Structures are given as C-alpha cells and as structure tokens.
Amino acid sequence: MRRVLVTLVDLFYEDPWLFGAVVVGAGTAYVAGRASSGLGGLLLIVAVLAGLWASLRRAA
Amino acid sequence: MVFSWPVAGAVFLASGVEFVEALTVVLAVGVTRGFRTALAGAAVALAALAALVLLFGHALVTVFPAAWFRLILGALLLLVGLKWWKKAVLRAAGRKSQRDEAAVYAREVARLEGRRPGGGLDAEGFLTSFNGVFVEGVEVVVIVLTIGAAARSLGSAVLGALIGFLLVLLVGILLRRPLTQVPENALKFVVGVVLTSFGTLILGEGVFGAWPIGDAAILVCLAVYTLASVVFVRRLAEPREGRA
C-alpha cells in the first residue's frame, strides 16, 4: 500500500496533468452527467485525452 | 458472480507484464545468490500479496457503496492506466528508452555478484527477490482489486492474474533466463490503453451512473484511445525527425 500511496503522491507532484485530468474529468462529467450521461462520458474522455496530451508535451 | 472474459483478459495482460519484470529480478538473484534464496523471497512476497487481496478484496466488494468504490477505484485505475499509457507513447515516439529485460538482468547480476553465500539463505538476495516480486505484485493487486471489484467479478480478475503468473513462471523455469522475447513495450502500450478504458468506464459509472450504451462504452473508449495513441505518437515523433 505504501507503494500505491507513493505512486499517487508522485503522480500529483511530478505529473499534475494526469492527476488533473482525472479530477477535472470526474468533475465535469458529474456536472454534465446530471443533464445527460452521454455528455458526461464525452467530457470525461476529452479531459483524459487533454490531460495526457499536456503531460506528454511536458515530458517530451 | 458471472465469469467475465474481458476482465480476466485485461488482468492477464497487465499482470503478465508485471510478472515478467519480477521474474527478471528473481532469476538474477537465483543465478548470483542461489535459487533457494530467490524462491524463498518470491514465495514470502507472494504470500504477502495474497493476504492483501484476501483482506481488501472482500471488504471492497461487500462494505463500500457501489457508487463510491466505482468513483475511487475508477480514478485509481485511470491514474495507473494513464501512467502506463504515457510511458508507452513516449517510448513509441522515441522520447524514452525502451525497457530491456536483458539490460535489467545484467545490472542486477552485476550488483549482486562478488559475494556468494556459503550456506543457508542470503539476506540481501532474499530481500532483493522479495522486493522485486512485492513491488511489481502490488500493482497487480491494485489492478485485480479495481477491475475485479468494479466489474463485480473478482474471481475473473484473480484467475486472469493467476494464469499470467503461472505462464510466466512456467516459461521462466523452462528457459532460466529473462523473457527478452516478450514484446513488453508493445504489451505495455496495449495494457495502458485497456486500463485507461476500464478506468474511464468505471469512473463514469461512479460519477453519473450508467453509460448510455452500457458496458459497450468500453469499446468506444478503446477505439478513441487507440486512435489518439496513433496521433500522439506521430505528433511527438515529428520534431525529432525534423531536427535529425
């Protein structure tokens, strides 16, 4: 479990874009999902892709 | 509980990659410090991992409300998947060195060589083997618990991991050398996309309930993320080609 916690902390500090993608994705999906689950899902996928791309650009 | 092949398959792939990495360390310890020490360390680590699954697996499935554990475990799985996916894209685009089991094996052997134990268990070899199996195994436990619990098919996930473990163990015993022929980097690419897709599906269910097309949404995630991988790799590879 220590390894898991260390990995999570590492992700937050060393790769905030990935962490942010999950948090922002979940938040927007929650808000949009109250109106339409399809829109919520779409925004979640977009947030994941945007966060990953931002993280990749930073690492490359 | 219904057996789920997609769940077992996803866990098999993900755990197989981790077991290949663990096998490299165990073999390096075995060759330098004796297989008795190496196998003892690996066996204790496996027992500790099994205890983790028994302790937390049952609690996750029975105690937590479904929406909450889908939210938490989906986010966790998404983070793990994104981490793998990112590394795989960087490797495929030539922005990160490929993982080479032969090189890892050579490094471990060089580190452990020099002082061979006379008899009994060697403490450093035992700890190296334990650590190698436990560290890689914890990721397997997270994957088994998250996918298995969220899909309400823990047995399928455990079976997938068990098959992965036995297959790698069998090949390792037969070859007695690191599994360099396993296309590990390509597998990690697939696993990264699969874990991210499962994570998205499960997190979505935790946040807004069912997807409009049900579990078939994972196929949409897989297709979109695979297409995105191609685009990301091409875009990241472009500047380096331009400079060369």
Side-chain angles (χ1 to χ4, degrees):
Chain A
M1 285 301 112
R2 183 174 167 271
R3 162 86 174 176
V4 176
L5 289 174
V6 168
T7 303
L8 282 174
V9 172
D10 281 352
L11 266 176
F12 181 72
Y13 283 108
E14 291 176 17
D15 211 333
W17 289 106
L18 292 187
F19 211 91
V22 176
V23 174
V24 172
T28 51
Y30 174 74
V31 175
R34 297 175 79 167
S36 158
S37 60
L39 182 62
L42 181 68
L43 289 177
L44 177 57
I45 291 172
V46 169
V48 165
L49 291 174
L52 177 63
W53 178 241
S55 178
L56 284 168
R57 289 298 299 264
R58 188 167 164 261
Chain B
M1 184 185 70
V2 180
F3 184 79
S4 167
W5 282 109
V7 168
V11 174
F12 167 75
L13 281 178
S15 62
V17 173
E18 297 294 344
F19 289 135
V20 165
E21 293 180 7
L23 177 69
T24 301
V25 177
V26 173
L27 282 172
V29 173
V31 167
T32 53
R33 302 295 174 96
F35 277 95
R36 192 172 156 224
T37 297
L39 292 176
V44 173
L46 285 173
L49 291 167
L52 276 179
V53 174
L54 287 174
L55 274 173
F56 292 102
H58 182 69
L60 279 172
V61 175
T62 55
V63 175
F64 287 98
W68 275 103
F69 86 60
R70 280 172 191 272
L71 183 71
I72 294 166
L73 298 185
L76 192 62
L77 192 61
L78 193 50
L79 278 172
V80 172
L82 278 169
K83 196 178 145 206
W84 282 40
W85 190 12
K86 179 188 167 187
K87 278 186 190 172
V89 170
L90 288 172
R91 282 180 173 138
R95 298 300 185 105
K96 186 178 173 68
S97 59
Q98 301 275 320
R99 184 178 168 91
D100 182 356
E101 288 305 317
V104 174
Y105 178 75
R107 266 202 309 274
E108 280 297 321
V109 168
R111 188 176 71 80
L112 291 166
E113 257 179 355
R115 187 177 61 83
R116 286 180 184 266
L121 290 180
D122 170 64
E124 188 183 5
F126 178 87
L127 284 175
T128 301
S129 179
F130 174 85
N131 202 37
V133 174
F134 190 77
V135 166
E136 302 299 344
V138 164
E139 286 199 42
V140 174
V141 169
V142 169
I143 291 164
V144 166
L145 291 182
T146 49
I147 295 183
R152 296 285 183 188
S153 192
L154 199 58
S156 308
V158 171
L159 187 67
L162 196 62
I163 293 171
F165 169 73
L166 291 175
L167 193 65
V168 171
L169 181 70
L170 183 68
V171 178
I173 288 171
L174 290 174
L175 296 180
R176 286 217 171 188
R177 61 185 172 82
L179 306 185
T180 52
Q181 299 303 310
V182 173
E184 197 180 342
N185 292 296
L187 269 178
K188 279 193 167 178
F189 210 127
V190 174
V191 170
V193 170
V194 169
L195 292 184
T196 305
S197 299
F198 266 104
T200 305
L201 180 83
I202 295 164
L203 179 61
E205 287 175 344
V207 169
F208 53 72
W211 288 72
I213 53 173
D215 287 347
I218 197 164
L219 298 177
V220 175
C221 291
L222 283 170
V224 171
Y225 292 160
T226 302
L227 188 66
S229 298
V230 176
V231 175
F232 289 164
V233 170
R234 283 189 180 174
R235 289 290 302 273
L236 288 176
E238 275 169 8
R240 175 166 285 189
E241 285 170 2
R243 282 198 300 268

